[in-house]
Amino acid sequence: MADHSYDYDVLIIGAGPGGYVAAIRAAQLGLKTACVESRETLGGTCLNVGCIPSKALLHGSELFEEAAGGHFATWGITATPKLDLGKMMAEKTKAVGELTGGIEFLFKKNKVTWLKGHAAFEDAHTVNVGSEKVTAKDIVIATGSNVTPLPGVTVDNAGKRIVDSTGALDLDEVPEHLVVIGGGVIGLELGSVWRRLGAKVTVVEFLDQVLPGMDGDVRKEAGKIFKKQGMAMMLGHKVTGASVKGKKVTLTIEKSAGGDEQTIEASHVLVSIGRRPNTDGLALDKAGLSVNKRGQIEIDHDFRTSVPNIWGIGDVVPGPMLAHKAEDEGIAVAENIAGLTGIVNHDVIPSVVYTAPEIAGVGITEEDAKERGLSVKIGKFPMMANSRAKANRDTEGFVKVIADAETDRVLGVWIIASLAGTMIAEACIAMEFGATSEDIAYTCHAHPTHAEALKEAAMAVQGKPIHM
Ligand code: FAD
Ligand code: NAI
């Protein structure tokens, strides 16, 4: 029921995957909805400078590498590919344009009003968008995140020497030597793009393994695979400074614990040491809100902040900074605002690294289990023994299933495989329905498919895989 004392029933700040999905769902539920976005286009980080352009370049660069001597050569196909970087970038830009335009179409279709400009609170029900005052009964903060800066290493995307992910998605030449600071998801995905296109790539990672947060076996195996692909890995090191002279960047690097200072030279540097919540210029205090020590807006189980009519979702609130997590929270928050019951099961949020092979996981790691004192059984199955992977000659990786030792309930699944990002969806469904490893093991899987490796890993939990 519309409340006519406000301009809108719901006002959403930010049109990323969290905000735009919340806006569409709220409108579908009959609420008068507006969404404020300061960017020129809708879709937030994900569509404009994140998921979509990075996946477009990962796809294009993978085709180039395949043709340049990857699987083409394995299959007796000879090709001498020539790179037109401008065309590759243009195709990426086209994909982004089609998708951001698609959200604009969906806004119109669902009668969501797009208020263009930067939003700042005046009070808990009023937001200033430029010179305009807009009031709403409920307000959702979905302002996302931006790049964490590294002291001593100044990002200058326009200068194209020391860049963040946005700059690395838009270089106009293949770097001679790209130094990636941070062996996390962005560093490995974008490092892979430029390595495939011909750059020498060095990853400097503070910790002693890449991909923090993922299962230990997966991190170890991933590190080996990236090294084999030609990325130089400086694990247990940190960059302490960088200076640019013409086309050269000189970096000072030392061991993470300190000492052993050395310098290395690069043509380009990518700073990818994480992202931080975006609350700049929001004037949260005027609405009676503040942020926690990590700069996040705290929310309760229903996505409500400490101010009852203000809600928070996506990268700006605690939890993994992932587009699908933001989207699911967007749907749930709109349903809660409409008086329904919106829930997100944060124990089953998959994460995928879109390299080749892909790396994916959901639920707990073996290390988490130890830390929590959980007794678990583990089943592992190598892609080397999967018939489809073998036929395709893409046998890198494995599937690992972690199940509760007593109940057999699946608590986590970790995969390195060419199709890991697609395979993980089955694990999510299984976990969402509370499946045991036996349930997966006794589910008929089509043959020959990569997915059979998940079935076999589930059988391995009972110690009874067939093909190993
Ligand atoms: P955002 O997408 O950050 O959107 C927030 C929007 O709010 C922005 O458009 C911003 O302009 C706007 N805004 C902020 N403040 C205001 C204000 N005061 N007024 C008006 N507008 C404002 N995640 C995945 O799941 N899969 C991937 O493959 C993936 N790849 C990525 C690759 C890269 C290079 C990067 C950087 C990120 C990637 N991510 C990926 C992460 C994903 O992009 C984020 O988790 C997701 O975009 C978060 O959605 P959000 O809606 O919370 O915020
Ligand atoms: P990240 O948190 O994944 O990785 C950052 C890495 O930098 C860590 O390994 C950390 O140990 C390291 N590090 C920190 N300080 C350092 C220093 N001074 N020197 C060297 N190494 C240092 O962050 P990243 O890669 O920037 O990505 C940010 C977020 O964006 C991710 O956490 C993820 O949520 C999201 N994202 C998701 C993608 C996907 O789902 N495929 C793709 C890209 C981004």
Side-chain angles (χ1 to χ4, degrees), residues 143-467:
T143 49
S145 64
N146 51 37
V147 176
T148 304
L150 177 59
V153 185
T154 310
V155 166
D156 173 14
N157 285 335
K160 294 194 188 276
R161 289 286 143 201
I162 302 181
V163 295
D164 58 22
S165 53
T166 302
L169 287 166
D170 216 16
L171 295 178
D172 44 25
E173 61 180 349
V174 176
E176 202 180 300
H177 181 199
L178 172 68
V179 170
V180 173
I181 310 177
V185 196
I186 291 181
L188 294 171
E189 286 190 354
L190 296 182
S192 292
V193 165
W194 292 109
R195 183 198 56 71
R196 293 167 184 171
L197 299 180
K200 175 183 169 193
V201 174
T202 304
V203 177
V204 183
E205 165 57 46
F206 186 84
L207 302 171
D208 57 5
Q209 295 285 353
V210 293
L211 295 173
M214 293 210 142
D215 183 82
D217 282 345
V218 163
R219 295 176 70 189
K220 228 183 285 162
E221 185 66 15
K224 272 195 234 158
I225 290 173
F226 290 121
K227 211 166 152 192
K228 200 171 107 200
Q229 290 177 352
M231 280 192 193
M233 292 285 174
M234 293 185 72
L235 303 175
H237 281 80
K238 61 180 175 190
V239 173
T240 51
S243 60
V244 183
K245 218 181 217 168
K247 293 187 167 183
K248 211 190 301 169
V249 190
T250 306
L251 295 144
T252 48
I253 295 177
E254 56 179 68
K255 285 210 163 133
S256 299
D260 277 354
E261 189 176 281
Q262 53 175 303
T263 58
I264 56 172
E265 284 185 349
S267 62
H268 297 76
V269 173
L270 164 61
V271 181
S272 49
I273 61 160
R275 293 177 63 81
R276 59 182 188 183
N278 194 5
T279 52
D280 284 352
L282 257 183
L284 287 177
D285 53 326
K286 294 201 177 159
L289 285 169
S290 57
V291 294
N292 68 15
K293 270 195 280 189
R294 305 187 63 193
Q296 299 157 326
I297 297 174
E298 293 279 351
I299 45 163
D300 67 11
H301 183 259
D302 299 329
F303 312 99
R304 205 188 283 269
T305 67
S306 55
V307 178
N309 73 300
I310 304 181
W311 313 70
I313 55 168
D315 282 9
V316 79
V317 304
M321 290 182 163
L322 295 170
H324 40 281
K325 178 244 185 200
E327 287 188 53
D328 285 7
E329 290 180 348
I331 292 174
V333 80
E335 291 178 351
N336 286 334
I337 291 170
L340 306 173
T341 307
I343 296 170
V344 175
N345 178 3
H346 286 97
D347 289 337
V348 185
I349 306 280
S351 58
V352 181
V353 188
Y354 297 85
T355 46
E358 293 178 342
I359 302 164
V362 59
I364 67 166
T365 64
E366 197 173 342
E367 294 71 28
D368 290 335
K370 277 201 190 100
E371 211 170 280
R372 295 183 203 176
L374 296 174
S375 169
V376 293
K377 289 181 296 182
I378 309 263
K380 252 177 109 173
F381 189 80
M383 294 312 292
M384 183 68 91
N386 171 268
S387 55
R388 185 64 183 278
K390 197 113 184 153
N392 289 5
R393 320 311 288 159
D394 70 351
T395 50
E396 274 179 322
F398 57 82
V399 179
K400 176 172 175 177
V401 173
I402 303 170
D404 186 289
E406 207 171 304
T407 64
D408 191 34
R409 190 174 169 148
V410 177
L411 302 176
V413 174
W414 295 89
I415 309 175
I416 300 188
S418 56
L419 300 182
T422 305
M423 290 163 70
I424 203 70
E426 181 190 349
C428 295
I429 294 275
M431 287 172 66
E432 196 62 54
F433 280 82
T436 59
S437 77
E438 192 181 49
D439 290 329
I440 299 178
Y442 283 95
T443 298
C444 187
H445 286 64
H447 175 77
T449 57
H450 291 71
E452 285 173 293
L454 176 59
K455 175 188 170 95
E456 292 264 15
M459 289 170 115
V461 172
Q462 312 297 329
K464 289 182 205 147
I466 297 292
H467 295 95

